Each structure stands twice: as C-alpha cells, then as structure tokens.
DNA sequence: ACCTGTCAAGTCTGG
DNA sequence: CCAGACTTGACAGGT
C-alpha cells in the first residue's frame, strides 16, 4: 500500500506565512472609513492566498502532495458587515495562481469548513448560513479551477435529542443542495455525535465519499470494530480519482482526550495503516497535529524503522505487512 | 519581544 | 431561559 501524508493549512517551518490572517468584527466596526476597512480585508485575503502559494511550494519542496487549505482565507466572509464585497472578482488572479500550482504539481487539496457549518440544524438561519459557507468554499475551488476531486469535508451536525431524525434531516438537506455543491462534498465522523457507523451509512445513502477520522472514532464509537467498516469506507471512494483519505491524530492527554496532540503517536499510525492495508493499495493520510508539517516529518522518520515500512520520499511510504 | 485575554461561530450542558 | 464550555489561530492590548 502506497501512503501519502499531508498536513493542514499552516507550516511550523515556513515563517510569516499564515494563510488565515483576519480582522475581528469589532475591529472592522471601529474603522470609520468603511471603504478603507474593506480594502484592508481584501489585502489580508490576498496575503492569505499568496501565503497559501508559498506553503504549496514548501509542500512541493518536501514531496508533500496532500494539503488542506485554511478555511479562513477570506476574512469575515459571510458576515453582514461586508455585504457587497466581492472577494472573487477582486482576487480572481490570486485564486487562479494558487490553483495553477496545485494543478501543475498534482497536489490533492480540499477544505474543511468549520464546525459551525451544520446542514441538519432545525434552525433555518443556521442551515442558510451553512449552505452559503459551502457555496463559498466551492466558489474558491472553482476560482482555483480545481474540480470535484478536491473536496469540502463536513460533519453531519447536531443530534437535537433524536440522532436518527437528525441524520434523516441531514440526508434531506443534502438532497436539496445543488448537484454542483453535492459533488464537492465528503463526510467525516465526529468526536461527539455521529459515529463511523452512522456517518458511513449516511455517506452511502447520499453517495458522498466518507472520511475516516481515527481520533474521532476513538472518542466516539459504540464498541464497533473498524475492521467491519473498512471495505465499505473504501467503496465510497471507488468513483473518485484520488484514493481514500483519512485523518490521523493522537489525543493530547488522558485528561484532554479530544484535543490534538503536538505530534502523532507512532502506534496510532501503525494501527491505522494495518487496517487500511487490508482493503486498499493506496491511502492519503491527513495529519491533524498541533505541530502541523513538523509532525508529518517526524512521523515519517519514526515509521522508517518499522519493519512493514519502506520510505519512498519525504512524505510518503510503502506499507508491506508480513 | 513577549504575554494574556478576547474573538468568532453553533451545540450542548447545567443551573 | 441564560450563561458557560468547547475549539482554534490570530488579533488586541498590556508590559
């Protein structure tokens, strides 16, 4: 099994390259000259896109072909204050430049809209802003000229005291989305509410790929063994150009089980790779650790001494279990 | 240069 | 019904 590793949004090695620079709503309010404030927002967004490009070059230089964009590229996006501001026409070229690097170097990218994107909420305003957020994320991918193989990954949402009903509500809301949005989505199990079993069943029903988060699974499962789900997980990716993707992280501590640790524990990685190797010959692993790309490089280094591992380059390995 | 507190969002819990 | 916890990186304000 060929395994490629990726990281999220920012680098611990590339300095002054935040792709998430922003302005608070209250700071925006305090600027008397609204036009000047809007210009500053556009400048921040432009910096975020240019830094994203720098981060992509960093990836390329280290053989990394899997990267998740920051979901905060556009400051105050969706906020009432900036109504009428068209980031997309103003930053057309910046978006295009990012996409150009991605396509030229065949990097797998995507977004993870924040957990306030809740499609199954009983509140109409929450659903509406969630759809608007998804639309914005897809617009960014389109502005980069990246097709549906680059996904927006979301969770199912809240349970509202009736998880089964909440799941059905998600399916209903999903079915009401434009096909354009649907085709860019993939679904991930979360650490509190929707387990692998529940999320996978929903993903199968709506025809979206399923992203396994091994850490969330550990926080939120019902004694179910992952081995029961691996074949079905892989099947949800069968029509996709890229291989199945999974999220890998370790708990910060026993008292902070849900929080992400600085680095990934080798054992967690090995456990994941063992399971995946039974069902797929390609896997993309998104590292979700505080130390970002440093955690990726450290994990590769640690994996190198495992008997089942052959290191291919700085960011990928071959797993060959005895 | 560094440190601490605040900011955004939605859900859930506890009072 | 309301306040606070949860989460995260960056802002904001203090020293």
């Amino acid at each position: 099994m060929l395994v490629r590793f990726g990281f999220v949004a920012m680098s611990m090695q590339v300095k002054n390259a935040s792709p998430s620079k922003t302005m608070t709503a209250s700071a925006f309010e305090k600027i008397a000259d609204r036009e000047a404030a809007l210009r500053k927002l556009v400048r921040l967004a432009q910096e975020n896109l240019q830094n994203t490009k720098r981060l992509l070059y960093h990836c390329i230089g280290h053989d990394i072909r899997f990267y998740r964009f920051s979901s905060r590229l556009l400051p105050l996006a969706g906020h009432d204050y900036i109504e009428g501001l068209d980031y997309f026409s103003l930053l057309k070229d910046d978006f295009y430049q990012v996409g150009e690097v991605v396509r030229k170097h065949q990097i797998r990218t995507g977004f993870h809209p924040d957990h306030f994107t809740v499609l199954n909420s009983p509140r109409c305003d929450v659903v509406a802003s969630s759809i608007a957020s998804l639309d914005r994320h897809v617009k960014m991918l389109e502005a980069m000229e990246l097709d549906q193989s680059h996904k927006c990954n979301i969770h199912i949402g809240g349970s509202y005291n009736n998880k089964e009903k909440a799941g059905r509500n998600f399916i209903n809301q999903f079915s009401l989305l434009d096909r354009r949005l649907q085709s860019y989505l993939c679904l991930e199990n979360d650490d509190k509410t929707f387990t692998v079993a529940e999320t996978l069943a929903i993903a199968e029903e709506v025809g979206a790929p399923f992203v396994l988060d091994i850490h969330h699974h550990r926080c939120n499962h019902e004694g179910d063994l992952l081995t029961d789900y691996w074949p079905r997980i892989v099947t949800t990716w069968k029509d996709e150009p890229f291989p199945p993707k999974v999220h890998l992280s370790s708990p910060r501590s026993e008292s902070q089980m849900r929080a992400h640790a600085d680095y990934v524990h080798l054992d967690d990685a090995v456990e994941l790779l063992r399971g995946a190797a039974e069902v797929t010959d390609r896997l993309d692993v998104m590292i979700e650790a505080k130390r970002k790309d440093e955690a990726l490089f450290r994990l590769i280094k640690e994996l190198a001494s495992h008997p089942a591992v052959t290191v291919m380059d700085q960011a990928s390995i071959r797993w060959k279990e005895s």
Side-chain angles (χ1 to χ4, degrees):
Chain A
M1 178 175 65
L2 186 62
V3 187
R4 307 187 303 176
F5 293 87
F7 71 99
V8 178
M10 62 187 285
S11 166
M12 301 308 288
Q13 300 189 341
V14 186
K15 297 301 170 190
N16 303 312
S18 169
S20 313
K21 290 164 79 74
T22 189
M23 192 194 298
T24 61
S26 61
F28 182 88
E29 253 184 329
K30 283 176 195 152
I31 300 174
D33 183 348
R34 184 169 183 270
E35 291 304 313
L38 291 174
R39 277 197 300 277
K40 182 167 182 192
L41 286 181
V42 173
R43 200 175 63 238
L44 286 171
Q46 190 165 27
E47 282 179 47
N48 288 340
L49 288 167
Q50 291 300 321
N51 282 337
T52 296
K53 207 166 63 168
R54 291 174 58 207
L55 289 159
L56 289 169
Y57 285 126
H58 169 65
C59 289
I60 293 157
H62 291 85
D63 307 321
I64 296 167
R65 292 294 182 278
F66 188 24
Y67 172 75
R68 184 198 300 165
F69 294 122
S70 163
S71 275
R72 300 190 216 172
L73 292 171
L74 305 178
L76 297 180
H79 205 289
D80 291 342
Y81 290 156
I82 68 161
E83 205 179 323
L85 174 64
D86 188 354
Y87 275 128
F88 292 100
S89 63
L90 294 167
L91 298 170
K92 194 173 192 300
D93 189 52
D94 301 87
F95 276 113
Y96 183 82
Q97 285 177 32
V98 170
E100 202 170 33
V101 178
V102 170
R103 281 179 274 113
K104 183 174 174 193
H105 296 274
Q106 299 181 60
I107 299 168
R108 180 182 199 173
T109 67
F111 283 108
H112 195 349
D114 62 33
H115 58 285
F116 306 114
T117 305
V118 190
L119 272 184
N120 75 338
S121 175
R123 289 170 51 188
C124 289
D125 56 330
V126 173
V127 175
S129 68
S130 297
I131 294 171
S133 170
L134 289 181
D135 185 65
R136 210 162 44 239
H137 283 90
V138 167
K139 273 200 175 77
M140 286 193 272
L141 291 170
E142 289 171 340
M144 295 175 194
E145 299 192 8
L146 299 179
D147 65 24
Q148 300 89 329
S149 61
H150 303 266
K151 299 290 182 192
C152 293
N153 181 47
I154 59 170
H155 297 293
I156 303 301
S159 65
Y160 314 103
N161 296 318
N162 186 343
K163 214 198 284 190
E164 203 194 310
K165 187 181 165 201
R168 284 199 305 273
N169 196 27
F170 178 92
I171 291 165
N172 184 45
Q173 291 296 346
F174 187 101
S175 71
L176 295 173
L177 295 174
D178 289 351
R179 284 196 67 83
R180 166 180 155 269
L181 294 188
Q182 288 176 346
S183 65
Y184 271 100
L185 289 179
C186 58
L187 309 180
E188 179 193 343
N189 60 306
D190 70 78
D191 58 354
K192 280 183 170 156
T193 312
F194 285 91
T195 62
V196 169
E198 293 156 350
T199 310
L200 177 58
I202 291 170
E204 287 169 338
E205 176 143 0
V206 301
F210 171 77
V211 176
L212 170 68
D213 187 308
I214 194 80
H215 175 57
H216 291 166
H217 174 65
R218 190 143 42 176
C219 296
N220 180 27
H221 63 96
E222 284 169 4
D224 27 4
L225 273 178
L226 221 39
T227 44
D228 299 339
Y229 301 108
W230 266 121
R232 286 167 56 199
I233 292 170
V234 170
T235 302
T236 65
W237 291 94
K238 69 180 193 306
D239 296 326
E240 293 288 329
F242 288 123
K245 74 168 160 179
V246 296
H247 293 173
L248 172 60
S249 59
S250 297
R252 185 148 197 78
S253 64
E254 275 194 41
S255 61
Q256 296 170 278
M257 275 298 289
R258 284 204 193 88
H260 289 156
D262 288 354
Y263 297 95
V264 173
H265 299 147
L266 180 61
D267 294 347
D268 295 334
V270 168
E271 186 187 326
L272 173 67
L273 296 175
R274 278 222 178 92
E278 299 289 324
V279 288
T280 182
D281 58 4
R282 291 195 59 126
L283 185 72
D284 287 344
V285 178
M286 181 54 66
I287 306 275
E288 292 183 328
K290 290 254 179 231
R291 300 298 299 181
K292 309 291 178 188
D293 50 343
E294 269 181 16
L296 187 160
F297 298 132
R298 179 182 286 201
L299 180 60
I300 297 275
K301 206 165 280 180
E302 290 182 5
L303 280 167
S305 55
H306 192 281
V309 171
T310 307
V311 173
M312 304 303 286
D313 58 31
Q314 295 173 81
S316 67
I317 62 154
R318 190 171 290 283
W319 176 270
K320 205 171 186 179
E321 191 70 282
S322 49

